């Protein structure tokens, strides 16, 4: 092989490696981003990053959304029956209505509250359409596994457990 053939081969190899890296970066699932801080029901600053190392079912919802309210009992059941899973509710609205509903519903999982910050977090997690409710399944390594738009049903909950807790 002469010098030009070696150079040409090296350039082709480098191009193939860069193309492969580009495809990988473009198609890999999003991960839980740092920097999104939301308040919990007590007004304390919280982040999804504090839940790293555990599979998460993150549910974006609002008090004024009937399907969101209907799925809360199912989410409470998921949390109580699956010790390896952490359910996190993120209310996409002002704090006061969320605190009022929380007093009625006795949530057994963390509730975080944010308006635009919650929407920005959802977009960072891969939500392409902002419609409530929506749920993001995140593995213990912080990778988004799946996004579910609309109300969770019993079969969706079973699927989430199968995906997150194999």
């Amino acid at each position: 092989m002469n010098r030009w053939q070696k150079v040409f081969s090296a350039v082709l190899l480098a191009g193939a490696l860069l193309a492969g890296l580009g495809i990988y970066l473009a198609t890999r699932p999003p991960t839980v981003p740092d920097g999104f801080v939301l308040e919990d029901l007590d007004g304390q600053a919280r982040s999804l990053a504090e839940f790293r190392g555990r599979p998460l079912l993150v549910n974006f919802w609002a008090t004024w959304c009937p399907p969101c309210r209907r799925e809360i009992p199912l989410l409470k059941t998921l949390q109580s029956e699956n010790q390896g899973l952490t359910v996190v509710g993120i209310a996409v609205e002002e704090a006061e209505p969320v605190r009022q509903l929380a007093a009625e519903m006795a949530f057994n999982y963390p509730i975080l509250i944010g308006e635009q910050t919650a929407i920005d977090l959802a977009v960072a997690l891969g939500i392409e359409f902002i419609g409530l409710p929506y749920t993001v399944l995140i593995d213990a390594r912080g990778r988004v596994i799946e996004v579910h738009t609309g109300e969770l049903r019993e079969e969706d909950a079973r699927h989430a457990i199968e995906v997150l807790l194999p």
Side-chain angles (χ1 to χ4, degrees):
M1 187 181 294
N2 70 33
R3 180 173 175 243
W4 290 111
Q5 288 173 322
K6 289 180 184 178
V7 169
F8 183 70
S9 295
V11 168
L12 281 178
L13 180 60
L17 289 172
L18 286 173
L21 177 62
I23 290 169
Y24 166 74
L25 291 174
T27 59
R28 71 179 176 177
T31 57
V32 174
D34 292 328
F36 287 94
V37 177
L38 304 165
E39 286 187 5
D40 65 13
L41 291 170
D42 298 321
Q44 299 298 309
R46 306 278 301 267
S47 168
L48 284 184
E50 71 185 72
F51 300 103
R52 279 198 182 115
R54 295 183 56 90
L56 298 177
L57 186 149
V58 180
N59 178 257
F60 290 83
W61 65 286
T63 60
W64 45 263
C65 166
C68 300
R69 293 173 74 124
R70 281 194 305 264
E71 68 185 4
I72 291 171
L74 176 61
L75 294 170
K76 289 169 57 174
T77 299
L78 282 173
Q79 181 63 67
S80 65
E81 293 180 354
N82 299 282
Q83 289 187 335
L85 176 69
T86 299
V87 175
V88 178
I90 298 182
V92 184
E93 66 179 300
E94 295 178 0
E96 195 49 40
V98 178
R99 288 186 180 109
Q100 289 174 4
L101 182 65
E104 296 171 27
M105 297 296 293
F107 289 101
N108 62 345
Y109 55 89
I111 299 296
L112 307 181
I113 305 165
E115 295 170 80
Q116 188 61 47
T117 303
I119 292 170
D120 294 343
L121 173 59
V123 170
L125 290 172
I127 302 292
E128 295 177 5
F129 170 74
I130 303 296
L132 295 175
Y134 46 90
T135 303
V136 182
L137 305 180
I138 301 171
D139 71 9
R141 293 177 21 184
R143 296 177 304 176
V144 173
I145 301 300
E146 206 170 292
V147 173
H148 177 85
T149 303
E151 183 177 352
L152 284 178
R153 308 277 187 203
E154 190 71 37
E155 60 272 12
D156 303 317
R158 280 193 301 275
H159 173 74
I161 296 306
E162 290 171 6
V163 169
L164 291 172
L165 303 174

